[in-house]
Amino acid sequence: MVREELRHVYPDRPDEGALTALAGLEERPGALDASVVEDLHAALVRPLRHTTDGAGKGMRTYLWLQIVDLYGGDPERLRPMLAVIEGLQAGNLMIDDIQDRSPVRRGRPAAHTVFGEALTINAGTDAYFLVDQVLPSVLAGDERLLLAVYRVVMGIMRVGHAGQALDITGHAAAMDEAVRTGEAGPLLRRIRTAHLLKTAMPIRGLAEIAALLSGASGEQVRAIRSYGEKVGLAFQIGDDALDLSGVGVRTPSGASVSTKLRAEDLREGKVTMPLAHAVALLPPERVRALWGRVREGVADGAEAAKIADELIACGAVRACEDECRALVAEGWDRLRGDLPRNWSALGLHALGTWAVHRNAEW
């Protein structure tokens, strides 16, 4: 369903109508020469489709569909929004991979390693504006709701970029201080703030949009966006933990596909939640030694794997899972009282459970 909607706006082959809309020229049909259509397809569509056609988790679109069903939204009318959600996420990932120098995304070479940085940056940022192509036709005639959704989208973009700023800046100085003092609290709060901005609040925004477009009441919107935030934060903390064992997804055939190198964050010298938790779980001298190696970036994959194994063994991953469990439980307790007993409610609960326990299944 998601890929079908993506093909409408990002077609497999150069298509004049689709590329005219993507270029923002809907009111000027026939304005693009054939060579321009081909160039736009190569520069805007192919890098994005390279990313979306990989093996993704689909968590955001799954959440969206459950919320639409839960609050009685029209799934057919809102289907085009699936392309917006997936396109926005893919654009974020493309830019993120350039900034992190990540070689792999969704089980294939990252887009910038195939198309170059310039094209990938442009195609990735262009995907941020897909909502402006799709949403007005979905909400034709309802200017008030259109404005409300646009404001949520703008909020998503602001917090997401603030979170990415913290991610790029990194947490090395805070880790230095934690190692010096033995106090992990300030470091953990800093990482949680970055995760909140980069992942949790954008997912909260998507949940809010789904509820708004489905006619949910004000209290229902508040409850579902809170749940989306908690699940989003648990999801990002879980990604930190998964880095130690290797991030991957299951294909429809049931095969496991690695979408990120094992201990990739450690190799790049990043401070993540398990490393921060290790400050209170390992002897100070051992934490100092591990951080000394990680801070430089661990070039050797075998050494990175050994450090990952030590972080797992000391209970750092278990600490992450405990935090994820508490977050999801808090969000679910607020949401559950107003929920009908139907499949979509069960699906939302299952999503939260998955966000907590997916480290064990991979």
Side-chain angles (χ1 to χ4, degrees):
M1 183 187 299
V2 176
R3 291 186 176 181
E4 180 181 345
E5 291 305 317
L6 272 169
R7 289 189 182 99
H8 290 158
V9 289
Y10 291 102
D12 293 340
R13 297 176 180 80
D15 177 271
E16 182 183 350
L19 271 299
T20 297
L22 195 61
L25 295 174
E26 297 94 330
E27 296 181 358
R28 301 183 66 178
L32 302 181
D33 294 339
S35 63
V36 174
V37 170
E38 291 181 2
D39 285 347
L40 287 176
H41 187 270
L44 293 180
V45 175
R46 288 183 58 210
L48 196 289
R49 283 288 304 274
H50 174 84
T51 302
T52 61
D53 288 352
K57 300 179 186 72
M59 186 272 281
R60 290 164 179 80
T61 50
Y62 177 89
L63 175 68
W64 170 275
L65 290 169
Q66 299 306 313
I67 294 171
V68 168
D69 184 64
L70 182 70
Y71 294 123
D74 183 344
E76 285 305 308
R77 180 176 70 89
L78 298 178
R79 269 182 65 140
M81 289 297 294
L82 295 175
V84 174
I85 298 166
E86 181 64 7
L88 178 61
Q89 175 62 6
N92 285 336
L93 295 176
M94 291 160 68
I95 304 300
D96 188 69
D97 286 342
I98 293 172
Q99 293 168 338
D100 290 346
R101 301 299 179 202
S102 299
V104 178
R105 174 63 66 178
R106 293 185 170 183
R108 52 175 54 188
H112 67 93
T113 69
V114 178
F115 301 95
E117 292 187 1
L119 277 184
T120 300
I121 290 170
N122 192 63
T125 53
D126 181 71
Y128 296 162
F129 305 101
L130 187 58
V131 64
D132 192 49
Q133 178 181 337
V134 172
L135 188 61
S137 60
V138 171
L139 288 179
D142 196 336
E143 295 297 320
R144 176 177 292 184
L145 185 55
L146 181 64
L147 176 60
V149 174
Y150 269 135
R151 292 187 67 178
V152 177
V153 172
M154 292 299 101
I156 288 173
M157 298 304 298
R158 282 193 295 147
V159 296
H161 280 76
Q164 183 68 350
L166 288 179
D167 195 45
I168 295 169
T169 302
H171 314 296
M175 183 69 187
D176 286 341
E177 183 65 10
V179 170
R180 187 184 71 81
T181 63
E183 293 292 331
L187 172 63
L188 286 166
R189 286 194 297 274
R190 178 185 172 89
I191 297 172
R192 289 185 192 110
T193 298
H195 288 353
L196 178 72
L197 291 167
K198 184 174 178 178
T199 303
M201 291 193 71
I203 290 176
R204 162 183 161 153
L206 290 178
E208 181 177 0
I209 292 170
L212 286 171
L213 295 182
S214 301
S217 69
E219 179 53 36
Q220 288 171 331
V221 170
R222 287 187 287 273
I224 196 64
R225 73 182 183 186
S226 174
Y227 184 66
E229 178 181 317
K230 302 299 184 185
V231 170
L233 189 51
F235 176 82
Q236 189 58 55
I237 293 171
D239 255 13
D240 278 8
L242 277 169
D243 178 71
L244 300 181
S245 54
V247 179
V249 296
R250 303 278 182 191
T251 65
S253 65
S256 299
V257 177
S258 176
T259 59
K260 189 177 179 182
L261 297 175
R262 186 184 183 199
E264 186 173 309
D265 291 336
L266 294 178
R267 298 185 195 198
E268 295 173 356
K270 288 187 175 182
V271 182
T272 59
M273 290 293 282
L275 188 61
H277 276 298
V279 171
L281 295 170
L282 288 172
E285 63 275 10
R286 188 58 194 149
V287 174
R288 190 174 300 108
L290 286 178
W291 173 230
R293 290 296 302 117
V294 172
R295 205 183 202 289
E296 300 172 2
V298 186
D300 181 65
E303 183 184 3
K306 286 183 179 180
I307 295 174
D309 288 339
E310 184 169 358
L311 293 175
I312 293 169
C314 79
V317 169
R318 185 166 59 252
C320 291
E321 290 175 347
D322 289 345
E323 184 169 350
C324 291
R325 188 178 296 107
L327 284 166
V328 172
E330 180 184 349
W332 181 250
D333 284 346
R334 177 175 182 180
L335 180 65
R336 67 187 299 180
D338 192 41
L339 290 183
R341 295 178 178 270
N342 60 18
W343 286 111
S344 54
L346 181 62
L348 285 172
H349 186 262
L351 180 65
T353 302
W354 170 80
V356 173
H357 296 292
R358 65 198 180 103
N359 185 70
E361 72 180 35
W362 177 251

